[in-house]
Amino acid sequence: PDVYADVFVNAHSLIHRSWRTVLDQVECWLVPRARHWIEVEGSRKALRLEGTTYRYSPAEPERTTVVLALARDQIVSLTVRAVERADVQAELDRIIQSFRIVDLDPG
């Protein structure tokens, strides 16, 4: 059966929000069960946070992963969320592993 999943990419300027502020905002709505540093091509550092969120009620838990990547003058976040099912999570992990920061304006 088809599965509903969310994939979001956001950019936050370091002029307006620091790394700590963005991390605090994520941890405000996602209580991470796991967090670890990962490599994201094009970033200076990247942190992966994983936890459970609930779309409509506690009876509908979803695994949510947020990757925060520091790139030049921005923090780029990738958020993926879907049901905790092995086949679905394998596909979401492929999305996370393909996450790259591409500098479109090298100037």
Side-chain angles (χ1 to χ4, degrees):
D2 291 338
V3 174
Y4 184 76
D6 292 318
V7 178
F8 304 102
V9 177
N10 292 295
H12 310 275
S13 172
L14 287 171
I15 293 171
H16 302 290
R17 293 189 178 126
S18 68
W19 175 269
R20 183 76 239 166
T21 300
V22 172
L23 181 57
D24 287 346
Q25 289 173 339
V26 169
E27 289 180 329
C28 206
W29 61 268
L30 175 69
V31 178
R33 287 188 317 227
R35 58 187 290 163
H36 54 275
W37 296 101
I38 63 171
E39 294 292 323
V40 171
E41 185 178 321
S43 72
R44 296 189 309 219
K45 67 179 180 179
L47 183 62
R48 179 175 173 159
L49 303 110
E50 296 187 61
T52 302
T53 57
Y54 305 93
R55 183 177 302 276
Y56 301 112
S57 77
E60 299 179 277
E62 295 181 308
R63 178 172 154 201
T64 301
T65 303
V66 177
V67 176
L68 298 176
L70 181 60
R72 287 182 72 191
D73 59 351
Q74 294 183 342
I75 299 168
V76 181
S77 64
L78 169 68
T79 304
V80 295
R81 175 176 68 193
V83 296
E84 184 82 42
R85 207 172 83 189
D87 60 333
V88 174
Q89 291 305 314
E91 291 305 314
L92 292 181
D93 283 339
R94 284 177 27 148
I95 292 169
I96 293 165
Q97 291 169 6
S98 70
F99 184 43
R100 307 280 184 269
I101 305 299
V102 179
D103 189 1
L104 298 177
D105 180 21

